[in-house]
Short mmCIF file of all heavy atoms in Angstrom, two decimals:
data_model
loop_
_atom_site.label_atom_id
_atom_site.label_comp_id
_atom_site.label_asym_id
_atom_site.label_seq_id
_atom_site.Cartn_x
_atom_site.Cartn_y
_atom_site.Cartn_z
N MET A 1 -9.45 -8.22 33.25
CA MET A 1 -9.31 -6.86 32.81
C MET A 1 -8.37 -6.75 31.63
O MET A 1 -8.57 -5.93 30.71
CB MET A 1 -8.69 -6.09 34.02
CG MET A 1 -8.70 -4.61 33.74
SD MET A 1 -10.43 -4.02 33.50
CE MET A 1 -10.21 -2.37 33.94
N ALA A 2 -7.36 -7.66 31.54
CA ALA A 2 -6.42 -7.61 30.39
C ALA A 2 -7.11 -7.92 29.07
O ALA A 2 -6.79 -7.42 28.06
CB ALA A 2 -5.24 -8.53 30.59
N THR A 3 -8.12 -8.81 29.16
CA THR A 3 -8.88 -9.22 27.95
C THR A 3 -9.61 -8.00 27.36
O THR A 3 -9.62 -7.90 26.18
CB THR A 3 -9.90 -10.29 28.33
OG1 THR A 3 -9.17 -11.40 28.98
CG2 THR A 3 -10.61 -10.85 27.10
N VAL A 4 -10.09 -7.14 28.22
CA VAL A 4 -10.74 -5.92 27.72
C VAL A 4 -9.79 -5.04 26.96
O VAL A 4 -10.06 -4.52 25.96
CB VAL A 4 -11.42 -5.16 28.85
CG1 VAL A 4 -12.01 -3.82 28.39
CG2 VAL A 4 -12.53 -5.95 29.50
N GLY A 5 -8.57 -4.90 27.51
CA GLY A 5 -7.52 -4.16 26.90
C GLY A 5 -7.13 -4.71 25.56
O GLY A 5 -6.91 -3.98 24.53
N TYR A 6 -6.96 -6.04 25.48
CA TYR A 6 -6.66 -6.64 24.14
C TYR A 6 -7.78 -6.55 23.17
O TYR A 6 -7.57 -6.35 22.00
CB TYR A 6 -6.26 -8.07 24.36
CG TYR A 6 -5.00 -8.28 25.20
CD1 TYR A 6 -5.00 -9.14 26.26
CD2 TYR A 6 -3.84 -7.62 24.87
CE1 TYR A 6 -3.83 -9.32 27.01
CE2 TYR A 6 -2.71 -7.80 25.58
CZ TYR A 6 -2.70 -8.65 26.68
OH TYR A 6 -1.59 -8.79 27.40
N GLY A 7 -9.02 -6.61 23.68
CA GLY A 7 -10.16 -6.35 22.79
C GLY A 7 -10.20 -5.04 22.24
O GLY A 7 -10.53 -4.80 21.09
N LEU A 8 -9.86 -3.99 23.09
CA LEU A 8 -9.82 -2.65 22.55
C LEU A 8 -8.62 -2.43 21.63
O LEU A 8 -8.69 -1.56 20.73
CB LEU A 8 -9.66 -1.66 23.74
CG LEU A 8 -10.86 -1.59 24.65
CD1 LEU A 8 -10.57 -0.70 25.87
CD2 LEU A 8 -12.08 -1.00 23.94
N ALA A 9 -7.59 -3.25 21.69
CA ALA A 9 -6.44 -3.15 20.83
C ALA A 9 -6.86 -3.53 19.37
O ALA A 9 -6.18 -3.11 18.42
CB ALA A 9 -5.30 -3.95 21.32
N VAL A 10 -7.84 -4.26 19.25
CA VAL A 10 -8.30 -4.63 17.90
C VAL A 10 -9.05 -3.53 17.19
O VAL A 10 -9.16 -3.55 15.95
CB VAL A 10 -9.26 -5.90 18.03
CG1 VAL A 10 -9.76 -6.35 16.66
CG2 VAL A 10 -8.49 -7.02 18.72
N ILE A 11 -9.42 -2.52 17.93
CA ILE A 11 -10.07 -1.36 17.29
C ILE A 11 -9.12 -0.60 16.40
O ILE A 11 -9.54 -0.15 15.32
CB ILE A 11 -10.66 -0.44 18.43
CG1 ILE A 11 -11.77 -1.07 19.09
CG2 ILE A 11 -11.10 0.92 17.79
CD1 ILE A 11 -12.30 -0.29 20.26
N GLY A 12 -7.87 -0.53 16.78
CA GLY A 12 -6.82 0.17 15.97
C GLY A 12 -6.77 -0.39 14.54
O GLY A 12 -6.78 0.38 13.59
N PRO A 13 -6.56 -1.64 14.37
CA PRO A 13 -6.49 -2.20 13.01
C PRO A 13 -7.79 -1.96 12.26
O PRO A 13 -7.73 -1.80 11.02
CB PRO A 13 -6.20 -3.69 13.17
CG PRO A 13 -5.49 -3.75 14.48
CD PRO A 13 -6.08 -2.66 15.33
N GLY A 14 -8.93 -1.94 12.93
CA GLY A 14 -10.16 -1.72 12.22
C GLY A 14 -10.20 -0.29 11.65
O GLY A 14 -10.62 -0.12 10.47
N ILE A 15 -9.75 0.67 12.49
CA ILE A 15 -9.66 2.03 11.96
C ILE A 15 -8.62 2.18 10.79
O ILE A 15 -8.88 2.80 9.80
CB ILE A 15 -9.33 3.02 13.06
CG1 ILE A 15 -10.47 3.05 14.10
CG2 ILE A 15 -9.00 4.38 12.60
CD1 ILE A 15 -10.17 3.72 15.39
N GLY A 16 -7.55 1.41 10.96
CA GLY A 16 -6.50 1.42 9.94
C GLY A 16 -6.97 0.84 8.66
O GLY A 16 -6.67 1.40 7.59
N LEU A 17 -7.74 -0.18 8.71
CA LEU A 17 -8.36 -0.74 7.47
C LEU A 17 -9.27 0.22 6.74
O LEU A 17 -9.21 0.32 5.56
CB LEU A 17 -9.04 -2.05 7.77
CG LEU A 17 -8.22 -3.28 7.98
CD1 LEU A 17 -9.08 -4.45 8.47
CD2 LEU A 17 -7.48 -3.64 6.69
N GLY A 18 -10.09 0.91 7.56
CA GLY A 18 -10.96 1.91 7.00
C GLY A 18 -10.27 3.00 6.27
O GLY A 18 -10.61 3.36 5.17
N ILE A 19 -9.22 3.51 6.87
CA ILE A 19 -8.45 4.58 6.21
C ILE A 19 -7.72 4.03 5.00
O ILE A 19 -7.69 4.67 4.00
CB ILE A 19 -7.40 5.15 7.30
CG1 ILE A 19 -8.21 5.87 8.44
CG2 ILE A 19 -6.40 6.13 6.62
CD1 ILE A 19 -7.34 6.31 9.56
N LEU A 20 -7.10 2.91 5.14
CA LEU A 20 -6.30 2.29 4.04
C LEU A 20 -7.16 2.04 2.80
O LEU A 20 -6.82 2.48 1.68
CB LEU A 20 -5.67 1.02 4.46
CG LEU A 20 -4.94 0.21 3.42
CD1 LEU A 20 -3.66 0.95 3.05
CD2 LEU A 20 -4.53 -1.16 4.02
N ILE A 21 -8.32 1.40 2.95
CA ILE A 21 -9.21 1.13 1.86
C ILE A 21 -9.81 2.42 1.22
O ILE A 21 -9.95 2.55 0.09
CB ILE A 21 -10.26 0.15 2.31
CG1 ILE A 21 -9.58 -1.24 2.62
CG2 ILE A 21 -11.28 -0.09 1.19
CD1 ILE A 21 -10.44 -2.23 3.24
N GLY A 22 -10.22 3.35 2.14
CA GLY A 22 -10.76 4.61 1.67
C GLY A 22 -9.82 5.42 0.90
O GLY A 22 -10.19 5.95 -0.20
N LYS A 23 -8.59 5.53 1.35
CA LYS A 23 -7.55 6.26 0.53
C LYS A 23 -7.26 5.60 -0.75
O LYS A 23 -6.93 6.27 -1.74
CB LYS A 23 -6.31 6.43 1.38
CG LYS A 23 -6.53 7.34 2.58
CD LYS A 23 -6.88 8.76 2.07
CE LYS A 23 -6.96 9.66 3.34
NZ LYS A 23 -7.24 11.12 2.90
N THR A 24 -7.29 4.23 -0.79
CA THR A 24 -6.98 3.54 -2.06
C THR A 24 -8.13 3.81 -3.03
O THR A 24 -7.83 4.11 -4.24
CB THR A 24 -6.90 2.04 -1.81
OG1 THR A 24 -5.84 1.81 -0.88
CG2 THR A 24 -6.58 1.31 -3.11
N ILE A 25 -9.34 3.76 -2.61
CA ILE A 25 -10.46 4.04 -3.47
C ILE A 25 -10.41 5.52 -4.00
O ILE A 25 -10.64 5.80 -5.17
CB ILE A 25 -11.85 3.79 -2.77
CG1 ILE A 25 -12.01 2.28 -2.51
CG2 ILE A 25 -13.04 4.35 -3.58
CD1 ILE A 25 -13.18 1.91 -1.69
N GLU A 26 -10.04 6.38 -3.09
CA GLU A 26 -9.89 7.82 -3.47
C GLU A 26 -8.75 7.96 -4.53
O GLU A 26 -8.95 8.70 -5.52
CB GLU A 26 -9.59 8.67 -2.26
CG GLU A 26 -9.38 10.13 -2.46
CD GLU A 26 -9.07 10.87 -1.19
OE1 GLU A 26 -9.51 10.48 -0.16
OE2 GLU A 26 -8.34 11.86 -1.32
N GLY A 27 -7.62 7.28 -4.38
CA GLY A 27 -6.57 7.32 -5.36
C GLY A 27 -6.96 6.75 -6.65
O GLY A 27 -6.56 7.26 -7.70
N ILE A 28 -7.70 5.66 -6.66
CA ILE A 28 -8.18 5.07 -7.91
C ILE A 28 -9.12 5.91 -8.63
O ILE A 28 -9.12 6.03 -9.84
CB ILE A 28 -8.77 3.64 -7.65
CG1 ILE A 28 -7.63 2.64 -7.23
CG2 ILE A 28 -9.47 3.06 -8.88
CD1 ILE A 28 -8.17 1.29 -6.77
N ALA A 29 -10.00 6.60 -7.92
CA ALA A 29 -10.92 7.58 -8.52
C ALA A 29 -10.21 8.75 -9.14
O ALA A 29 -10.64 9.22 -10.15
CB ALA A 29 -11.93 8.07 -7.46
N ARG A 30 -9.08 9.13 -8.47
CA ARG A 30 -8.28 10.27 -9.10
C ARG A 30 -7.50 9.93 -10.24
O ARG A 30 -7.32 10.65 -11.17
CB ARG A 30 -7.44 10.96 -8.04
CG ARG A 30 -8.24 11.67 -6.89
CD ARG A 30 -7.30 12.21 -5.80
NE ARG A 30 -7.95 12.75 -4.77
CZ ARG A 30 -8.11 14.06 -4.58
NH1 ARG A 30 -7.53 14.90 -5.37
NH2 ARG A 30 -8.78 14.49 -3.52
N GLN A 31 -6.86 8.74 -10.17
CA GLN A 31 -5.97 8.27 -11.27
C GLN A 31 -6.30 6.81 -11.58
O GLN A 31 -5.62 5.91 -11.06
CB GLN A 31 -4.53 8.49 -10.88
CG GLN A 31 -4.10 9.87 -10.78
CD GLN A 31 -2.65 9.99 -10.44
OE1 GLN A 31 -2.04 9.12 -9.82
NE2 GLN A 31 -1.97 11.03 -10.98
N PRO A 32 -7.25 6.57 -12.44
CA PRO A 32 -7.61 5.22 -12.70
C PRO A 32 -6.56 4.32 -13.38
O PRO A 32 -6.57 3.16 -13.30
CB PRO A 32 -8.80 5.36 -13.64
CG PRO A 32 -9.32 6.71 -13.53
CD PRO A 32 -8.13 7.55 -13.09
N GLU A 33 -5.57 4.99 -14.01
CA GLU A 33 -4.50 4.29 -14.74
C GLU A 33 -3.52 3.55 -13.77
O GLU A 33 -2.85 2.66 -14.23
CB GLU A 33 -3.73 5.22 -15.70
CG GLU A 33 -3.01 6.32 -15.01
CD GLU A 33 -3.81 7.58 -14.81
OE1 GLU A 33 -5.02 7.59 -15.08
OE2 GLU A 33 -3.21 8.60 -14.32
N VAL A 34 -3.50 3.94 -12.50
CA VAL A 34 -2.65 3.27 -11.56
C VAL A 34 -3.39 2.37 -10.64
O VAL A 34 -2.93 1.98 -9.54
CB VAL A 34 -1.76 4.34 -10.80
CG1 VAL A 34 -0.80 5.00 -11.69
CG2 VAL A 34 -2.62 5.25 -9.99
N ALA A 35 -4.63 2.01 -11.03
CA ALA A 35 -5.43 1.16 -10.22
C ALA A 35 -4.82 -0.21 -9.84
O ALA A 35 -4.87 -0.58 -8.67
CB ALA A 35 -6.79 0.85 -10.87
N GLY A 36 -4.08 -0.79 -10.74
CA GLY A 36 -3.45 -2.09 -10.43
C GLY A 36 -2.34 -1.94 -9.37
O GLY A 36 -2.29 -2.78 -8.45
N GLN A 37 -1.53 -0.92 -9.49
CA GLN A 37 -0.48 -0.71 -8.52
C GLN A 37 -1.06 -0.36 -7.11
O GLN A 37 -0.59 -0.85 -6.16
CB GLN A 37 0.46 0.41 -8.96
CG GLN A 37 1.25 0.05 -10.12
CD GLN A 37 2.07 1.22 -10.63
OE1 GLN A 37 1.69 2.40 -10.44
NE2 GLN A 37 3.24 0.98 -11.21
N LEU A 38 -2.09 0.46 -7.11
CA LEU A 38 -2.65 0.81 -5.82
C LEU A 38 -3.37 -0.41 -5.21
O LEU A 38 -3.29 -0.54 -4.01
CB LEU A 38 -3.74 1.96 -6.04
CG LEU A 38 -3.12 3.33 -6.34
CD1 LEU A 38 -4.23 4.28 -6.69
CD2 LEU A 38 -2.30 3.84 -5.24
N ARG A 39 -4.01 -1.25 -5.99
CA ARG A 39 -4.65 -2.37 -5.39
C ARG A 39 -3.71 -3.34 -4.87
O ARG A 39 -3.92 -3.90 -3.72
CB ARG A 39 -5.50 -3.02 -6.56
CG ARG A 39 -6.42 -4.09 -6.01
CD ARG A 39 -7.31 -4.72 -7.14
NE ARG A 39 -8.10 -3.68 -7.81
CZ ARG A 39 -8.04 -3.37 -9.08
NH1 ARG A 39 -7.19 -3.96 -9.85
NH2 ARG A 39 -8.85 -2.41 -9.58
N THR A 40 -2.56 -3.58 -5.56
CA THR A 40 -1.55 -4.48 -5.01
C THR A 40 -0.96 -3.95 -3.71
O THR A 40 -0.86 -4.69 -2.73
CB THR A 40 -0.38 -4.60 -6.04
OG1 THR A 40 -0.96 -5.10 -7.24
CG2 THR A 40 0.71 -5.56 -5.55
N THR A 41 -0.69 -2.68 -3.66
CA THR A 41 -0.13 -2.09 -2.43
C THR A 41 -1.17 -2.13 -1.30
O THR A 41 -0.81 -2.38 -0.15
CB THR A 41 0.29 -0.63 -2.72
OG1 THR A 41 1.17 -0.56 -3.81
CG2 THR A 41 0.88 0.04 -1.49
N MET A 42 -2.44 -1.97 -1.63
CA MET A 42 -3.48 -2.02 -0.62
C MET A 42 -3.54 -3.42 -0.05
O MET A 42 -3.68 -3.54 1.20
CB MET A 42 -4.83 -1.65 -1.24
CG MET A 42 -6.01 -1.74 -0.23
SD MET A 42 -7.64 -1.56 -0.91
CE MET A 42 -7.82 -3.14 -1.84
N PHE A 43 -3.48 -4.45 -0.87
CA PHE A 43 -3.60 -5.81 -0.35
C PHE A 43 -2.42 -6.14 0.55
O PHE A 43 -2.53 -6.86 1.56
CB PHE A 43 -3.69 -6.86 -1.47
CG PHE A 43 -5.04 -6.86 -2.09
CD1 PHE A 43 -5.20 -6.85 -3.42
CD2 PHE A 43 -6.19 -6.94 -1.30
CE1 PHE A 43 -6.46 -6.88 -4.07
CE2 PHE A 43 -7.44 -6.89 -1.88
CZ PHE A 43 -7.58 -6.93 -3.27
N ILE A 44 -1.20 -5.62 0.22
CA ILE A 44 0.02 -5.84 1.14
C ILE A 44 -0.25 -5.15 2.42
O ILE A 44 -0.03 -5.68 3.49
CB ILE A 44 1.23 -5.35 0.43
CG1 ILE A 44 1.57 -6.25 -0.81
CG2 ILE A 44 2.40 -5.32 1.42
CD1 ILE A 44 2.65 -5.70 -1.68
N GLY A 45 -0.77 -3.90 2.41
CA GLY A 45 -1.05 -3.18 3.62
C GLY A 45 -2.15 -3.87 4.48
O GLY A 45 -2.02 -3.88 5.68
N ILE A 46 -3.15 -4.34 3.78
CA ILE A 46 -4.22 -5.10 4.54
C ILE A 46 -3.65 -6.25 5.26
O ILE A 46 -4.01 -6.57 6.46
CB ILE A 46 -5.36 -5.48 3.56
CG1 ILE A 46 -6.15 -4.30 3.20
CG2 ILE A 46 -6.27 -6.55 4.17
CD1 ILE A 46 -7.22 -4.57 2.05
N GLY A 47 -2.68 -6.96 4.59
CA GLY A 47 -2.12 -8.14 5.24
C GLY A 47 -1.34 -7.74 6.56
O GLY A 47 -1.50 -8.38 7.54
N PHE A 48 -0.58 -6.60 6.49
CA PHE A 48 0.11 -6.16 7.69
C PHE A 48 -0.86 -5.72 8.81
O PHE A 48 -0.66 -6.01 9.97
CB PHE A 48 1.08 -4.97 7.34
CG PHE A 48 2.29 -5.45 6.57
CD1 PHE A 48 2.65 -4.78 5.42
CD2 PHE A 48 3.10 -6.45 7.06
CE1 PHE A 48 3.75 -5.20 4.72
CE2 PHE A 48 4.22 -6.88 6.33
CZ PHE A 48 4.56 -6.25 5.18
N VAL A 49 -1.91 -4.97 8.44
CA VAL A 49 -2.84 -4.52 9.40
C VAL A 49 -3.59 -5.68 10.07
O VAL A 49 -3.80 -5.70 11.27
CB VAL A 49 -3.84 -3.46 8.76
CG1 VAL A 49 -4.93 -3.16 9.73
CG2 VAL A 49 -3.08 -2.23 8.36
N GLU A 50 -3.93 -6.64 9.27
CA GLU A 50 -4.68 -7.82 9.79
C GLU A 50 -3.81 -8.64 10.78
O GLU A 50 -4.24 -9.19 11.76
CB GLU A 50 -5.19 -8.72 8.66
CG GLU A 50 -6.38 -8.20 7.94
CD GLU A 50 -7.59 -8.10 8.81
OE1 GLU A 50 -7.76 -8.95 9.70
OE2 GLU A 50 -8.35 -7.17 8.65
N VAL A 51 -2.47 -8.71 10.42
CA VAL A 51 -1.59 -9.43 11.43
C VAL A 51 -1.53 -8.76 12.71
O VAL A 51 -1.54 -9.34 13.78
CB VAL A 51 -0.15 -9.46 10.73
CG1 VAL A 51 0.86 -9.96 11.79
CG2 VAL A 51 -0.12 -10.53 9.59
N LEU A 52 -1.54 -7.38 12.72
CA LEU A 52 -1.57 -6.68 13.99
C LEU A 52 -2.83 -6.98 14.79
O LEU A 52 -2.82 -7.21 16.01
CB LEU A 52 -1.43 -5.16 13.75
CG LEU A 52 -0.08 -4.71 13.28
CD1 LEU A 52 -0.12 -3.25 12.97
CD2 LEU A 52 0.99 -5.00 14.27
N GLY A 53 -3.93 -6.96 14.11
CA GLY A 53 -5.25 -7.34 14.76
C GLY A 53 -5.23 -8.73 15.29
O GLY A 53 -5.73 -8.97 16.48
N LEU A 54 -4.74 -9.69 14.52
CA LEU A 54 -4.74 -11.08 15.02
C LEU A 54 -3.74 -11.24 16.19
O LEU A 54 -4.05 -12.05 17.07
CB LEU A 54 -4.35 -11.96 13.84
CG LEU A 54 -5.43 -12.20 12.76
CD1 LEU A 54 -4.94 -12.99 11.61
CD2 LEU A 54 -6.61 -12.81 13.38
N LEU A 55 -2.65 -10.53 16.15
CA LEU A 55 -1.68 -10.58 17.27
C LEU A 55 -2.40 -10.12 18.57
O LEU A 55 -2.17 -10.74 19.67
CB LEU A 55 -0.45 -9.81 17.01
CG LEU A 55 0.60 -10.48 16.11
CD1 LEU A 55 1.69 -9.52 15.77
CD2 LEU A 55 1.10 -11.75 16.60
N GLY A 56 -3.13 -9.03 18.48
CA GLY A 56 -3.82 -8.51 19.72
C GLY A 56 -4.85 -9.48 20.19
O GLY A 56 -4.99 -9.68 21.35
N LEU A 57 -5.56 -10.16 19.30
CA LEU A 57 -6.59 -11.12 19.62
C LEU A 57 -5.93 -12.31 20.27
O LEU A 57 -6.41 -12.80 21.31
CB LEU A 57 -7.41 -11.49 18.41
CG LEU A 57 -8.60 -12.40 18.67
CD1 LEU A 57 -9.65 -11.69 19.42
CD2 LEU A 57 -9.21 -12.82 17.28
N ILE A 58 -4.96 -12.87 19.58
CA ILE A 58 -4.25 -14.10 20.16
C ILE A 58 -3.61 -13.83 21.54
O ILE A 58 -3.72 -14.67 22.42
CB ILE A 58 -3.29 -14.58 19.14
CG1 ILE A 58 -3.97 -15.13 17.89
CG2 ILE A 58 -2.33 -15.68 19.74
CD1 ILE A 58 -3.11 -15.48 16.75
N THR A 59 -3.05 -12.64 21.68
CA THR A 59 -2.42 -12.28 22.93
C THR A 59 -3.43 -12.27 24.06
O THR A 59 -3.16 -12.68 25.16
CB THR A 59 -1.69 -10.93 22.82
OG1 THR A 59 -0.85 -10.98 21.74
CG2 THR A 59 -0.92 -10.61 24.07
N GLY A 60 -4.65 -11.83 23.70
CA GLY A 60 -5.78 -11.87 24.69
C GLY A 60 -6.14 -13.25 25.18
O GLY A 60 -6.43 -13.41 26.32
N PHE A 61 -5.98 -14.23 24.31
CA PHE A 61 -6.25 -15.59 24.73
C PHE A 61 -5.09 -16.27 25.42
O PHE A 61 -5.26 -17.06 26.31
CB PHE A 61 -6.59 -16.45 23.47
CG PHE A 61 -8.00 -16.15 22.93
CD1 PHE A 61 -8.14 -15.76 21.60
CD2 PHE A 61 -9.10 -16.23 23.68
CE1 PHE A 61 -9.38 -15.46 21.05
CE2 PHE A 61 -10.34 -15.99 23.20
CZ PHE A 61 -10.47 -15.57 21.87
N LEU A 62 -3.85 -15.87 25.08
CA LEU A 62 -2.71 -16.48 25.70
C LEU A 62 -2.39 -15.99 27.09
O LEU A 62 -1.91 -16.77 27.91
CB LEU A 62 -1.44 -16.30 24.81
CG LEU A 62 -1.41 -17.04 23.48
CD1 LEU A 62 -0.16 -16.66 22.72
CD2 LEU A 62 -1.54 -18.52 23.66
N PHE A 63 -2.66 -14.70 27.31
CA PHE A 63 -2.31 -14.06 28.57
C PHE A 63 -3.58 -13.50 29.24
O PHE A 63 -3.71 -12.26 29.22
CB PHE A 63 -1.30 -12.99 28.41
CG PHE A 63 -0.06 -13.47 27.75
CD1 PHE A 63 0.26 -13.05 26.46
CD2 PHE A 63 0.87 -14.29 28.35
CE1 PHE A 63 1.45 -13.48 25.86
CE2 PHE A 63 1.97 -14.78 27.78
CZ PHE A 63 2.31 -14.31 26.49
N PRO A 64 -4.46 -14.30 29.76
CA PRO A 64 -5.68 -13.78 30.35
C PRO A 64 -5.47 -13.04 31.70
O PRO A 64 -4.59 -13.14 32.36
CB PRO A 64 -6.55 -15.00 30.59
CG PRO A 64 -5.69 -16.16 30.51
CD PRO A 64 -4.39 -15.76 29.78
#
């Protein structure tokens, strides 16, 4: 049963990635001159969100 919970925990980072990337694209469309800064910030944010997803997945394997 815990594995199902950890599997559902991976949904959060998926939603977070969708919002993060969507808002970055929206910001670049509104102000193309700051595309480099937005892209860099987006990649840092993606790294943090992916770590949370991986932690949930690994926890599911370690504590069945």
Side-chain angles (χ1 to χ4, degrees):
M1 189 63 156
T3 307
V4 174
Y6 294 128
L8 291 175
V10 179
I11 292 174
I15 294 171
L17 281 174
I19 293 171
L20 176 69
I21 295 170
K23 292 295 183 178
T24 301
I25 291 172
E26 182 180 325
I28 291 172
R30 290 177 185 256
Q31 292 185 328
E33 64 272 6
V34 294
Q37 291 175 330
L38 289 174
R39 191 176 301 119
T40 301
T41 305
M42 179 189 71
F43 285 132
I44 293 170
I46 286 174
F48 286 130
V49 171
E50 286 294 327
V51 165
L52 290 175
L54 290 174
L55 282 174
L57 184 67
I58 291 170
T59 306
F61 287 123
L62 290 178
F63 304 110

